[in-house]
Amino acid sequence: MKINAFKFGIACAITASVFWIICSVLVMAMPSMMMSMSGDMVHMRLDDIGWHLTWAGVVKGLVAWFVIVGGAGWLLASIYNRLQ
């Protein structure tokens, strides 16, 4: 079965974008709780670090993740199709 690499890449990019937006909203709504959770996820104490989240940063991150994950999804599907 062949995968449409372009559509798969777009689906990955949209999925990553949705997760980025949800994460950004959670950081804005509950910054200390999200800092604690982030520290737990990377096995570090992040108590002395603070969030520096701006709307411009949210948009830049959204675009960056869209492009990076979309490209990675396209590459993954392309390699998968060549292995068939």
Side-chain angles (χ1 to χ4, degrees):
M1 174 179 84
K2 293 273 186 185
I3 296 174
N4 183 318
F6 180 76
K7 288 182 180 180
F8 186 78
I10 294 295
C12 290
I14 291 169
T15 301
S17 297
V18 168
F19 281 117
W20 176 260
I21 291 168
I22 291 169
C23 182
S24 296
V25 168
L26 289 172
V27 167
M28 288 178 197
M30 302 177 290
S32 61
M33 183 179 185
M34 293 304 292
M35 183 63 71
S36 176
M37 186 187 317
S38 296
D40 292 342
M41 290 170 61
V42 294
H43 310 291
M44 294 175 64
R45 289 193 55 142
L46 302 176
D47 299 335
D48 297 331
I49 300 173
W51 295 112
H52 302 287
L53 189 62
T54 64
W55 287 108
V58 170
V59 172
K60 287 177 188 176
L62 179 65
V63 170
W65 279 109
F66 187 91
V67 171
I68 292 167
V69 175
W74 170 83
L75 181 62
L76 178 69
S78 296
I79 291 170
Y80 175 84
N81 287 338
R82 290 192 185 266
L83 293 174
Q84 297 258 339

